[in-house]
Amino acid sequence: MIQESIVKLVQYALETGLIEQADVRYTANRLLELLRLDALEEEAEAAMASYQPGDCAGIVGELEGILGGICDYAYENGILEENTVGYRDLFDTKVMALLVDRPSNMIRKFQALYEESPQKATDFYYKFSQDTDYIRRYRIARDRKWIAPTEYGDLDITINLSKPEKDPKAIAAAKLAKQTSYPKCLLCCENEGYAGRLNHPARGNHRIIPVTINDSPWFFQYSPYVYYNEHCIVFNSKHVPMKIERATFAKLLDFVSQFPHYFVGSNADLPIVGGSILSHDHFQGGHYEFAMAKAPIERTVTFAGYEDVEAGIVKWPMSVIRIRHADAARLVDLADRILLAWRGYTDEAAFIFAETDGEPHNTITPIARKRGDKYELDLVLRNNITTEEHPLGVYHPHAELHHIKKENIGLIEVMGLAVLPARLKDELEHLETAMVEGRDIRGDEELAKHADWVDELKEKYGSFEPETIGKIIEDEVGIVFMKVLEHAGVYKRTSEGAAAFARFIESVK
């Protein structure tokens, strides 16, 4: 069977364009070496020699099974130390790395296509990143996704199942392993081609693209977890911390000028309201239009000295200022002015404090995009203050919503996509059954956290039927996420909140 797996993997590489016909023997021999085999059998050799791209296009969907068979063989023959997800991921990445071209060749291909059009270049690179199994298509397909209608538009909901759970053996082995700070983090350029270890993912099949934004060297890659279409990461060539500043706006707008079919945004630079990696300066973007991007301006505003810039407050649960102009430099100037004003802004009546005990609280989550000939920036006002009542953050999902979403509200959530924890897949399925059966879940260890929510739904719907419970839960999870975003908004959508928002707008000088 291992001979058949080698043949199929070489055919897969031909079918996806990872290798060419002239590379077949070389690639097969590299695989033989890795698997400690001396030769190809005649039948296998003949199958590879006669194969032409297009002979078996369906083989692209067989990659998981092909790699699974190779990993099984490696474990059974003492090549793979343990037969767990962590070890198998390290090994199958090593296998796929044998099919992947050198970075210099990849960069040349990307740049040549970019000369034709930026979208041709990204289309090629995105497909390549999937074909190499850096983006594991078969795992992404397991994510549960749906659209939830709300008063702010259709919100995207996803239960993330594509990140493999760490197995106990891998966790134990990682503790015993020699500690190293190479690469410094998951975003550093040193990850390209890195073999990985049990506490750091393998990236032997990964290639990154250099880009220059605002005259500084950065890199471009896709997220291996692809929360939305062409989910990309743009990261600083140096391991420097996140910082929202004037240059951030210039970099974001420069990137969308080079890749006008993409949006790009930055997480905030403070804990609680920032992303999961604050230690490495980076942005996230992609070829997708979120609900926030579709949301209209509900109230136009004018900033003194910038009367030529279209500006307004967006109809969105969070507090968003949208500015638009054909000249990116004008947006950089105004965005910087708004940022500086917000950094130092305090309004005790609205419970907005620039700092307490020397700790800064105000920052911005910025998102950039092109609209025809105009640039657009959305500036989401953020504040990370905590209190005894809300120890995780006043402008963070409050305790009554933690049964669905407790984690930080970063860039992706801000734009309208809920990335929910994997636990909810089983919990919601079990909850649907319990609700249809009319069971009391307060004594259920797994489901008790949802009990108050279920009581609210009973009052709203009365009873639950098997045919409709799934849609009810999906819609109601969307409403919970909408409330999560409302909690994260510094100015509430009330007359008092609108007045407080207007006071800040007036303060921008």
Side-chain angles (χ1 to χ4, degrees), residues 422-456:
R423 65 172 172 83
L424 284 175
K425 177 184 180 294
D426 290 339
E427 285 183 18
L428 294 182
E429 288 174 1
H430 298 162
L431 190 63
E432 288 173 15
T433 301
M435 290 169 71
V436 169
E437 294 175 353
R439 281 194 277 120
D440 182 2
I441 63 171
R442 291 193 181 276
D444 186 314
E445 185 178 353
E446 179 193 35
L447 302 180
K449 64 176 76 70
H450 301 291
D452 289 344
W453 182 49
V454 170
D455 286 345
E456 293 173 14

Side-chain angles (χ1 to χ4, degrees), residues 24-93:
V24 166
R25 281 189 304 274
Y26 171 83
T27 303
N29 285 334
R30 297 295 309 280
L31 291 167
L32 290 174
E33 178 187 7
L34 179 63
L35 296 168
R36 302 176 191 172
L37 294 167
D38 293 329
L40 279 175
E41 295 172 356
E42 288 185 15
E43 188 177 339
E45 198 169 358
M48 280 196 300
S50 63
Y51 188 86
Q52 295 293 323
D55 286 353
C56 186
I59 201 168
V60 174
E62 298 179 25
L63 182 61
E64 182 179 19
I66 295 168
L67 292 176
I70 291 173
C71 285
D72 290 343
Y73 173 85
Y75 177 67
E76 291 161 6
N77 289 271
I79 302 169
L80 186 59
E81 185 179 341
E82 295 284 354
N83 194 28
T84 62
V85 173
Y87 284 92
R88 288 171 75 95
D89 279 2
L90 291 174
F91 187 76
D92 69 16
T93 302

